[in-house]
């Protein structure tokens, strides 16, 4: 501190000689302000050395007009040069000579306005502009739905979702009578699934209102099935339907679900799961190209694709609990090709690759790891990765590998069936003597087949009891009796 004070006085004397004694006090005051400012900045640990210099100089120049007017432009330049020398030399001395001190950090100043809120408002305005444009720029609307944050809120989704599905005119069809709905072959199954979907309803809603929504959902699904009797209901269809019911309402929601059932979801509503299995198989060709090590590990584990079946057929609505994540993904799906859910599935598997590779290479273990999709996952990053995967490996380039994979799986299933048949034959061969005996007994029993089977069971039971009793008597006879005899 004594060295700093002497340097300070020496520099003050130099400036006094150039500017005059009457200005020395003012310069001293300014230099003291520089040192105080510099010390505060270093303690805050927020700036580099050049920033410290700029801040100190700016503070010196931020005095009253009376002080500024008292020094002409030439004096300011000279004073600034001396201040720079003092700051640099003082900084070097403090860095080399003074030990570290524990200082209390200042609280960060509040940011002026949340950038996220500004971006959100900007995107909402962009969506409004596109929706109000004539003619509608469908590609621009798709990009907004795919981009960060999607369509932002349900108010905009009510306007944008029908446009994305190219539904221009909504035809409000009358609802069928309740007795007609109850008479449908899938009614009981739909009711059971709707009752199990309580987590999909907004938390905290009134019980009476939730019951109303459940009734509306049941009727909505049955109306779709009645209008398209060639379609088959599957468990998970209700998860899709409830999303559109909550966002669009009952009537418009029915129109959109009905359209989806003959477009995006049509292959899942066929009598067999052949096409669904075909779509699921795209997961492995994507992984094969994106990460061969992870691909081979999953193939060796035999985990298959069952873990991502609900992801595909419900668009993650059955898997996720957070309503915001579900509708965000629906923004993305409605603006994307039909197979995009499988690219999102691949992006999730790639995101969890460390957990996968750290686990045991076994089916049940890997199924448990992969089937867990928490709402805390970074879905915006996942969507970006999925879109990149789609651009790098489009479906038409994977089709041949998908067919080869399915062919190989079919051959493995055929071999497994043959092994089961062989094991069954060996088992039957061991039972053959017993069967011959039973056939011989039944040949001499003059009863009809049903009575004959009952008699054979009674005889077999009696023989078993007799044999067991004989063994018991033999084992329980005391050894003394044998000796006496």
């Amino acid at each position: 501190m004594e060295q700093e004070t002497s340097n300070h006085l020496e520099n003050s004397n130099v400036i006094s000689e150039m500017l005059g004694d009457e200005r020395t006090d003012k310069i001293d005051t300014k230099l003291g302000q520089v040192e105080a400012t510099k010390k505060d900045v270093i303690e805050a640990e927020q700036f580099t050395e050049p920033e410290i210099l700029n801040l100190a100089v700016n503070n010196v120049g931020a005095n009253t007009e009376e002080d500024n007017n008292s020094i002409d432009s030439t004096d300011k330049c000279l004073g600034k040069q001396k201040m720079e020398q003092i700051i640099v030399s003082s900084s070097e001395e403090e860095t080399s000579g003074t030990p570290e001190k524990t200082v209390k950090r200042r609280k960060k100043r509040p940011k002026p306005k949340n950038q996220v809120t500004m971006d959100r408002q900007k995107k909402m305005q962009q969506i409004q502009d596109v929706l109000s444009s004539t003619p509608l720029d469908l590609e621009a609307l798709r990009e907004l739905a795919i981009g960060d944050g999607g369509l932002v809120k349900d108010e905009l989704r009510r306007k944008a979702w029908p446009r994305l599905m190219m539904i221009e005119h909504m035809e409000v069809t009358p609802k069928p009578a309740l007795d007609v709905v109850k008479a449908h072959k899938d009614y009981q199954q739909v009711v059971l699934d709707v009752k199990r979907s309580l987590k999909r309803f907004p938390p905290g809603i009134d019980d009476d209102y939730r019951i109303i929504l459940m009734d509306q959902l049941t009727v909505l699904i049955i109306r779709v099935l009645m209008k398209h009797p060639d379609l088959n209901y599957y468990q998970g269809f209700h998860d899709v339907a409830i999303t559109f019911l909550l966002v669009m309402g009952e009537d418009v929601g029915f129109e959109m679900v009905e359209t989806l059932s003959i477009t995006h979801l049509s292959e899942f509503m066929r009598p067999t799961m052949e096409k669904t299995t075909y779509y699921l198989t795209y997961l492995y060709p994507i992984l094969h190209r994106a990460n061969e090590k992870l691909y081979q590990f999953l193939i060796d584990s035999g985990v298959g694709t069952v873990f991502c079946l609900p992801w595909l057929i419900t668009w993650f609505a059955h898997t996720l609990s957070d309503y915001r994540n579900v509708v965000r993904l629906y923004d993305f799906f409605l603006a994307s090709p039909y197979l995009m859910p499988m690219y999102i599935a691949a992006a999730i598997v790639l995101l969890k690759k460390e957990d996968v590779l750290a686990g045991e290479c076994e089916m049940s273990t890997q199924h448990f790891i992969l089937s867990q999709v928490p709402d805390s996952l970074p879905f915006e990053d996942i969507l970006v990765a999925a879109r990149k995967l789609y651009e790098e490996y489009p479906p038409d380039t994977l089709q041949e590998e998908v067919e080869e994979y399915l062919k190989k799986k079919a051959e493995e299933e055929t071999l497994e069936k043959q092994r089961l048949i062989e094991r069954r034959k060996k088992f039957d061969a061991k039972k053959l003597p017993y069967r011959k005996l039973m056939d011989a007994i039944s040949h001499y029993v003059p009863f009809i087949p049903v009575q004959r089977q009952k008699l054979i069971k009674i005889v077999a039971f009696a023989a078993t009891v007799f044999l067991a009793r004989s063994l018991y008597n033999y084992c329980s006879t005391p050894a003394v009796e044998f000796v006496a005899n």
Side-chain angles (χ1 to χ4, degrees):
M1 289 297 298
E2 294 178 358
Q3 186 177 0
E4 289 181 5
T5 305
S6 61
N7 289 337
H8 178 72
L9 293 174
E10 181 180 355
N11 286 302
S12 297
N13 293 332
V14 173
I15 296 172
S16 280
E17 292 176 1
M18 291 188 294
L19 300 179
D21 294 334
E22 69 277 7
R23 297 176 183 174
T24 301
D25 294 336
K26 293 181 180 180
I27 294 299
D28 286 341
T29 302
K30 295 178 186 294
L31 293 176
Q33 293 174 354
V34 171
E35 291 296 326
T37 302
K38 174 181 166 297
K39 183 177 180 181
D40 290 341
V41 171
I42 291 175
E43 289 179 351
E45 297 180 358
Q46 294 181 349
F47 300 97
T48 60
E49 192 68 32
E51 292 172 334
I52 296 172
L53 176 61
N54 292 333
L55 181 60
V57 174
N58 290 335
N59 284 341
V60 172
N63 284 302
T64 60
E65 293 185 1
E66 181 181 356
D67 291 336
N68 289 335
N69 293 332
S70 64
I71 303 177
D72 56 16
S73 59
T74 304
D75 293 341
K76 288 181 182 179
C77 293
L78 293 172
K80 182 177 178 181
Q81 292 175 0
K82 291 297 179 182
M83 285 179 241
E84 291 177 356
Q85 294 175 3
I86 294 170
I87 292 170
V88 173
S89 61
S90 176
S91 177
E92 292 175 353
E93 290 172 3
E94 288 183 8
T95 303
S96 59
T98 58
E100 290 185 3
K101 295 182 180 180
T102 303
V103 293
K104 186 176 180 180
R105 296 189 178 185
R106 292 181 177 181
K107 294 182 179 180
K108 293 184 179 180
R109 297 178 181 178
K111 295 181 179 180
K113 190 171 184 181
N114 195 335
Q115 187 64 34
V116 176
T117 303
M118 295 175 62
D119 294 341
R120 177 186 172 92
Q121 292 177 349
K122 181 180 178 181
K123 186 162 190 182
M124 288 170 57
Q125 186 59 49
Q126 290 175 341
I127 297 170
Q128 290 280 18
D129 294 341
V130 172
L131 289 173
S132 60
S133 63
T134 305
L136 175 70
D137 190 346
L138 186 58
E139 287 302 318
L141 184 59
R142 285 173 176 166
E143 286 297 322
L144 290 169
I146 291 173
D148 188 16
L151 296 173
V152 185
K153 61 179 183 178
D154 286 355
E155 181 183 351
L156 296 174
R157 291 185 177 100
R158 294 186 191 100
K159 301 176 183 178
W161 279 8
R163 302 289 187 88
L164 290 172
M165 295 181 65
M166 292 181 286
I167 301 176
E168 297 294 336
H169 304 286
M170 296 288 182
E171 298 180 3
V172 180
T173 57
K175 290 186 290 186
L178 186 59
D179 56 344
V180 176
V181 172
K182 291 183 177 181
H184 193 273
K185 62 183 180 67
D186 293 316
Y187 175 77
Q188 293 299 331
Q189 184 61 54
V190 172
V191 170
L192 290 175
D193 290 344
V194 169
K195 288 181 179 178
R196 285 195 291 261
S197 62
L198 293 178
K199 72 172 187 176
R200 293 297 321 283
F201 292 96
I205 66 171
D206 186 72
D207 291 340
D208 295 335
Y209 181 55
R210 186 177 66 250
I211 293 173
I212 292 173
L213 288 175
M214 293 170 69
D215 291 340
Q216 291 179 350
L217 178 61
T218 303
V219 174
L220 186 155
I221 294 172
I222 298 299
R223 287 173 68 186
V224 172
L225 298 174
M226 291 176 61
K227 189 171 182 179
H228 300 277
D230 57 319
L231 298 178
N232 295 270
Y233 174 78
Y234 64 88
Q235 288 183 314
F237 184 74
H238 67 289
D239 288 302
V240 178
I242 192 175
T243 305
F244 287 94
L245 174 65
L246 293 174
V247 176
M248 305 301 300
E250 185 177 12
D251 292 329
V252 180
F254 161 72
E255 295 292 337
M256 296 194 67
V257 173
E258 188 263 331
T259 302
L260 271 179
S261 66
I262 58 177
T263 55
H264 295 69
L265 308 179
S266 60
E267 299 297 346
F268 312 143
M269 306 184 76
R270 300 301 176 193
T272 66
M273 290 187 62
E274 181 179 356
K275 199 67 175 181
T276 304
T277 303
Y278 179 80
Y279 285 165
L280 288 170
T281 307
Y282 273 86
L283 174 69
Y284 283 101
I286 299 171
L287 294 177
H288 191 193
R289 285 161 172 74
N291 191 317
E292 188 170 356
K293 179 181 178 181
L294 179 63
Y295 160 80
Q296 193 58 53
F297 185 88
L298 293 176
I299 291 292
D300 295 339
S301 71
V303 69
T305 57
V306 178
F307 69 89
C308 59
L309 174 63
W311 304 355
L312 174 64
I313 64 177
T314 70
W315 283 2
F316 291 86
H318 181 76
T319 307
L320 299 174
S321 301
D322 194 327
Y323 172 81
R324 295 168 298 179
N325 288 333
V326 174
V327 293
R328 170 65 187 101
L329 288 174
Y330 274 49
D331 294 340
F332 191 86
F333 290 139
L334 291 175
S336 303
Y338 292 180
L339 274 173
M340 187 57 75
M342 293 314 303
Y343 285 84
I344 293 181
I348 292 175
V349 174
L350 290 169
L351 182 68
K352 303 176 76 171
K353 63 183 178 182
E354 293 183 1
D355 295 335
V356 170
L357 296 175
E360 186 179 356
C361 187
E362 185 265 337
M363 182 180 67
S364 60
T365 303
Q366 293 305 319
H367 180 86
F368 176 78
I369 293 173
L370 292 170
S371 60
Q372 306 300 312
V373 183
D375 285 286
S376 58
L377 287 179
F379 282 102
E380 291 298 337
D381 296 337
I382 290 172
L383 298 184
V384 172
R387 192 176 185 185
K388 184 178 179 181
L389 288 172
Y390 192 94
E391 293 172 354
E392 293 179 353
Y393 319 118
D396 55 344
T397 64
L398 307 176
Q399 187 173 358
E400 184 176 352
E401 188 172 346
V402 169
E403 294 174 355
E404 290 179 359
Y405 180 87
L406 290 173
K407 183 179 178 180
K408 184 177 179 181
K409 292 294 290 184
E411 293 175 353
E412 292 176 356
E413 290 176 1
T414 302
L415 291 174
E416 184 63 25
K417 288 180 181 179
Q418 290 177 354
R419 284 193 290 267
L420 289 174
I421 293 173
E422 292 296 329
R423 285 196 292 267
R424 183 62 183 268
K425 287 181 179 179
K426 292 179 180 179
F427 179 76
D428 292 342
K430 292 180 180 180
K431 294 177 61 178
L432 185 59
Y434 173 78
R435 285 189 175 182
K436 287 182 178 181
L437 177 62
M438 291 296 101
D439 291 340
I441 295 174
S442 63
H443 179 71
Y444 294 102
V445 178
F447 295 108
I448 60 177
V450 176
Q451 293 175 335
R452 184 182 300 166
Q453 292 295 329
K454 290 182 179 180
L455 181 61
I456 290 172
K457 290 180 180 179
I458 292 172
V459 172
F461 176 74
T464 303
V465 171
F466 176 77
L467 180 61
R469 187 171 181 178
S470 300
L471 290 172
Y472 174 78
N473 291 334
Y474 176 79
C475 295
S476 61
T477 302
V480 177
E481 294 182 7
F482 289 101
V483 173
N485 292 333

